[in-house]
Amino acid sequence: GKALGLSLIYPSENLALKNYFRPPFCQGGVLHPAEFEKYGEALIGKYDIRSGRRGKTVVRSMSGGNQQKAIVAREIEQASPLMIFVQPTRGLDIGATVNIQNQILAERAVHAHVLAPLPAGTFPGVDDREVYEFLDRHGRRDAPAEAETSRRT
């Protein structure tokens, strides 16, 4: 599904945004805030999301780079069969850009269908033709003529 942006709440809640209704975050219709905090702290450490009070920082007070790292972390943790990142580093400083690129490339090494097709050349070794090849192999749509041509060469 389409990635959600950040709501202006705490990072720990944002990081579990797509899973809040599943265990361990919710059982029998009851939310478990301690599970949100535990999960948030783990991802904050794993993805180097920096904030003044870690999981207790209000998201709007975090830098844009750290907000973006939170979104990338949340999406990567979904382990979807196909992930397409479109300009995930746009407008970020070099430190945040390198961090996000490294996270996406590391995920791509584990899951072959992690793509960052736009803008061209932003991610070394990632080619937007792979999106069409994936979709074509899975019967989702026809690959454009240019991807077909480049596949044969």
Side-chain angles (χ1 to χ4, degrees), residues 114-153:
V114 175
L115 309 167
L118 296 174
T122 299
F123 290 85
V126 178
D127 188 341
D128 62 344
R129 287 174 302 181
E130 294 176 70
V131 172
Y132 298 110
E133 291 170 5
F134 176 88
L135 295 173
D136 186 40
R137 274 194 312 274
H138 291 85
R140 304 282 169 90
R141 71 176 275 184
D142 294 327
E146 65 210 40
E148 289 294 329
T149 303
S150 61
R151 244 190 279 179
R152 284 186 230 124
T153 58

Side-chain angles (χ1 to χ4, degrees), residues 47-106:
Y47 291 92
D48 191 31
I49 301 166
R50 298 179 187 182
S51 61
R53 296 180 57 220
R54 298 194 46 92
K56 297 290 187 187
T57 302
V58 177
V59 171
R60 72 174 161 260
S61 69
M62 293 167 52
S63 71
N66 284 298
Q67 290 178 6
Q68 192 67 8
K69 284 192 263 185
I71 292 171
V72 169
R74 185 184 65 217
E75 296 307 315
I76 287 175
E77 291 296 316
Q78 295 302 303
S80 298
L82 172 65
M83 289 185 232
I84 301 173
F85 293 90
V86 179
Q87 298 183 336
T89 60
R90 183 174 182 208
L92 301 182
D93 64 56
I94 191 70
T97 296
V98 169
N99 178 285
I100 288 172
Q101 287 176 338
N102 288 339
Q103 293 292 347
I104 291 171
L105 290 173

